[in-house]
Amino acid sequence: MASTKESAPKIALVTGASRGLGAAVAIRLAKAGYDIWANYHSNHAAAKEVQEVIQKLGRKCVLLPFDVGNEKGVADALEPLLAAAIPDVLVNNAGHNKDTLMMWMTREEWEGVINVNLTGFYLVTRSVLMGMMKRRSGRIINIASTAGQSGLAGQTNYAAAKAGLIGATKSLAAEVCKRGVIVNCVAPGFIETDMTKDLPLEKILPSIPAGRFGKPDEVAAVVEFLCSDAASYIVGHTISVNGGLYM
Ligand code: NAP
């Protein structure tokens, strides 16, 4: 799966790569031989740290600060790079939550979460899709959530976005598989990142058969597998990585 010519290194574009799951995915794919285009929103210090780790692994890492939900921001950042190369892998990982009960949820809280988690997928994927289809190869992995499978009180906006991502994964997979582009989803449960650091462990742990939160690298390992030749017949699927929280 060469990017531009036979000898060119493979490229993975990872959104939300400065922290948490995205950082773990970027570092894992760098270890697997990919150069990384690392998107993030605004945490430059964290992104720099990820870049240094990747460079120490002997791989290139381009930092791309932009809001995945901002059409112009996406185009301005990606178009110059896409003129020279098309990524072999896209991991749509950027996400955020704004939890509150539906009866209190403002339209801003609804739209903000849908915009980053779902419209972000649309904008970034559309940017790289044509190039992947023309080349007739590519892997797209979308990071959903258990919330999008089971629902969760207080997360109507987030669950809607993540369930939307699971549906979009299936539709897009059906559209582009014949063009060599394979699309799948990973649905993490509770994983140790900034997003979950303030949650009440004592209330949540009894509901997880594994009895613990997952590690970011346990999600990254599944993403790496979905990028591999070994996963070439898995199409439009959602793999749960949740310690048994939802089966
Ligand atoms: P995190 O630690 O909060 O990191 C979020 C990452 O996304 C950061 O790199 C952040 O960039 C970036 N980001 C946020 N908004 C963005 C935007 N508008 N444009 C571009 N980048 C943006 O989150 P995480 O726990 O690693 O979550 C990663 C993904 O996994 C998300 O899609 C999340 O919904 C999903 N997930 C997480 C869990 C969990 O338990 N942690 C469970 C299920 C699903 P900055 O550093 O610049 O802010």
Side-chain angles (χ1 to χ4, degrees):
M1 280 210 290
S3 310
T4 47
K5 42 187 165 166
E6 273 304 294
S7 57
K10 292 181 292 180
I11 295 169
L13 166 55
V14 183
T15 68
S18 53
R19 293 182 286 122
L21 303 186
V25 166
I27 290 166
R28 224 181 210 272
L29 292 181
K31 283 182 185 158
Y34 290 84
D35 286 342
I36 305 296
W37 295 357
N39 157 260
Y40 61 103
H41 187 223
S42 52
N43 193 332
H44 305 297
K48 271 258 163 223
E49 279 179 32
V50 173
Q51 184 185 44
E52 279 166 24
V53 173
I54 289 170
Q55 287 172 341
K56 280 191 187 137
L57 292 166
R59 306 282 11 140
K60 289 184 186 147
C61 179
V62 184
L63 294 184
L64 297 169
F66 62 83
D67 177 352
V68 293
N70 180 312
E71 186 159 4
K72 183 173 174 342
V74 172
D76 288 352
L78 290 182
E79 276 173 11
L81 292 173
L82 292 170
I86 302 297
D88 300 274
V89 164
L90 164 61
V91 183
N92 285 302
N93 164 80
H96 89 122
N97 60 331
K98 203 82 183 160
D99 296 355
T100 183
L101 294 177
M102 178 76 173
M103 61 184 169
W104 306 122
M105 190 178 289
T106 64
R107 182 151 180 176
E108 197 182 14
E109 288 165 337
W110 171 262
E111 287 180 349
V113 167
I114 299 286
N115 193 48
V116 175
N117 293 279
L118 191 54
T119 307
F121 148 82
Y122 162 76
L123 291 172
V124 177
T125 301
R126 199 187 48 172
S127 302
V128 305
L129 191 61
M130 192 67 87
M132 284 182 170
M133 288 168 71
K134 279 188 185 152
R135 190 186 52 205
R136 295 194 168 262
S137 75
R139 297 285 169 100
I140 299 173
I141 291 105
N142 302 317
I143 306 299
S145 169
T146 304
Q149 299 170 302
S150 65
L152 194 63
Q155 292 199 316
T156 309
N157 48 2
Y158 184 75
K162 295 302 194 182
L165 206 46
I166 291 169
T169 296
K170 294 178 190 179
S171 294
L172 182 60
E175 285 179 17
V176 299
C177 189
K178 285 203 174 87
R179 298 294 192 97
V181 182
I182 296 179
V183 189
N184 284 292
C185 215
V186 175
F190 291 101
I191 310 296
E192 289 172 5
T193 70
D194 291 344
M195 190 179 270
T196 57
K197 68 181 183 333
D198 298 325
L199 294 177
L201 273 182
E202 68 291 350
K203 282 196 185 149
I204 295 170
L205 287 184
S207 64
I208 306 174
R212 63 174 178 85
F213 279 22
K215 309 270 182 212
D217 198 52
E218 292 177 304
V219 179
V222 176
V223 174
E224 183 190 355
F225 168 66
L226 287 172
C227 296
S228 72
D229 289 343
S232 52
Y233 205 55
I234 300 175
V235 176
H237 193 65
T238 297
I239 299 185
S240 298
V241 185
N242 63 23
L245 175 66
Y246 178 77
M247 303 183 206

